[in-house]
Each structure stands twice: as structure tokens, then as C-alpha cells.
Amino acid sequence: MLKRKEKASGFCRVALLSATLLLAGANVTAQSTVFNIPSSDVQSRGSVYLEADFMIHFGSLREGGYQEYGSRLVVGLPGNMEVGVNGFYTRAEPAEPMELQPNFKWQFYENEKKGLAFATGVLISTPITRRSSGTTSTQLYVVGSKSFEGTYGPRVTFGGYRLFGSLDDDIDKNGVMLGLEQPLTKRISFVTDWSSGNNDYGYVVAGAGITFS
């Protein structure tokens, strides 16, 4: 999918999250990602997190529009670690491969009193269909977050990443990541994040997170 974002250089891709289903007892601050970028959270030992995503870039498919459907499954491990797998299908022109994304994260620092947390991890993206038109890549990242006090206090996430793999020469290998989670009610939050770079990760996303259980 790196080639699709390569063609989109010169403008930001804006997507809308229609619904995020947080199941299996997970809460909003325990998700594996802010929206698309990794969060500084990890699941507690033995807990399971499941998320369903729908994202859309408005416009006809011939003009660069697309719809993306996906899910994320994360399991908490001992030692402030988690392991998971994501699956995504993108409806676009030209047709794109379905992707599988195994991932691992370790939260190496947390201070609840100061509202700070830091984590590092790896995410591998590999096509499982149309393999001849897809590229396997690995993203290594470090992220931190700052939570602000208050009933609906926001949380800001920041970090950077490095890409490895058989990537085209004009694909950006490094980038920064920023995210914002702003609770609006106990179950609804405004969520947005941004990754820099002319690659498969370099775009802006904004939408709503809804906790059902």
C-alpha cells in the first residue's frame, strides 16, 4: 500500500472514523492506538482488546477516494507488554492487497501522578492478497503521552518512527507522530492523529471513539 500514499504527496489525507467498537471490557485509555498511530498504553496481563474500524477518504475511487475496513486484536502480556494483530482491507482503484499487521509493544515507563507514559514497539505490514503488488515493511517506533487532569482532561501523544523494508527510493523512511484524545462524555471522545511522511502512514485522521462496553 505504500505506492498509493506515494501518489498522494502534496496534500493531507483526511479520514472519518464512523464507529469504533471497544469490546471485551476494554476502556478508552487502554487501546493499542490513538486512532492509527500507536498509543503509549498496553493491555494489562491476560486482558483482551478488540476494535473494529471503518475509515473513508471522500471522493470517487478514480480520483483517489477509498474506504478502509479493519480490525485490531491485542492481548496483554506480563512485564507491561502486549502482542496483537491487525487486518485491513481497502476498497480503492487500482485494487489493493489485504494486509495483515502483527505487532508488539512494551511500555517502559509510566508515572500516573505526572500523567506521563512512554512505549516502544514494532509493527510489520505484509500483503496476504495481490502479493506481487504489495510490499512488506516494518515500522519501529517510540511514543510518549501526557494526560491532563480534569473530568474530561485530554491526552496528547507524540513520537517518531523508522521504516525498514524493500521500499521505493522516494518513500520517506522517518517521520513524527502526534495525537489528541479529548473525552466529550463518559463514552464518546474526539480522536485525531497525524503521521508525517510520504508513505503508507503519512496522513491525518479525525473522528469519534465510542465505548460500548
Side-chain angles (χ1 to χ4, degrees):
M1 291 174 60
L2 289 167
K3 292 184 178 180
R4 169 168 63 85
K5 299 293 171 58
E6 173 189 1
K7 295 177 181 178
S9 60
F11 68 93
C12 292
R13 288 187 176 273
V14 179
L16 174 67
L17 174 67
S18 291
T20 301
L21 308 181
L22 310 183
L23 307 177
N27 55 58
V28 173
T29 59
Q31 56 187 315
S32 181
T33 62
V34 176
F35 194 145
N36 277 335
I37 71 171
S39 73
S40 60
D41 295 322
V42 291
Q43 287 294 303
S44 59
R45 178 179 179 178
S47 63
V48 178
Y49 171 80
L50 177 65
E51 175 183 304
D53 294 328
F54 169 68
M55 290 169 281
I56 183 170
H57 176 61
F58 292 106
S60 69
L61 299 183
R62 294 182 179 180
E63 296 178 351
Y66 65 88
Q67 296 96 46
E68 188 169 76
Y69 307 85
S71 62
R72 308 176 196 267
L73 175 65
V74 184
V75 178
L77 301 177
N80 295 326
M81 295 182 289
E82 67 178 27
V83 63
V85 62
N86 309 330
F88 287 96
Y89 164 71
T90 302
R91 181 170 177 263
E93 289 188 10
E96 296 190 5
M98 295 179 63
E99 280 194 344
L100 197 66
Q101 299 177 337
N103 53 84
F104 171 82
K105 189 197 299 183
W106 171 45
Q107 185 189 72
F108 59 88
Y109 177 83
E110 182 182 28
N111 188 318
E112 293 186 2
K113 291 183 178 180
K114 295 182 178 180
L116 294 172
F118 291 88
T120 184
V122 58
L123 183 146
I124 300 173
S125 297
T126 186
I128 57 176
T129 62
R130 301 180 181 271
R131 296 182 63 87
S132 60
S133 61
T135 301
T136 297
S137 64
T138 300
Q139 182 194 55
L140 298 178
Y141 63 84
V142 176
V143 292
S145 66
K146 168 63 178 177
S147 298
F148 295 89
E149 296 182 356
T151 304
Y152 298 113
R155 181 171 71 163
V156 177
T157 299
F158 47 89
Y161 68 87
R162 169 75 176 177
L163 294 180
F164 299 89
S166 300
L167 309 177
D168 294 340
D169 292 338
D170 53 352
I171 292 294
D172 293 334
K173 311 299 191 301
N174 301 301
V176 299
M177 300 182 291
L178 296 173
L180 172 66
E181 299 159 90
Q182 176 59 65
L184 304 177
T185 70
K186 290 183 177 180
R187 295 189 177 273
I188 300 177
S189 298
F190 170 74
V191 184
T192 182
D193 62 30
W194 168 72
S195 293
S196 71
N198 175 30
N199 53 48
D200 200 37
Y201 304 94
Y203 55 101
V204 172
V205 186
I210 305 173
T211 303
F212 287 95
S213 174

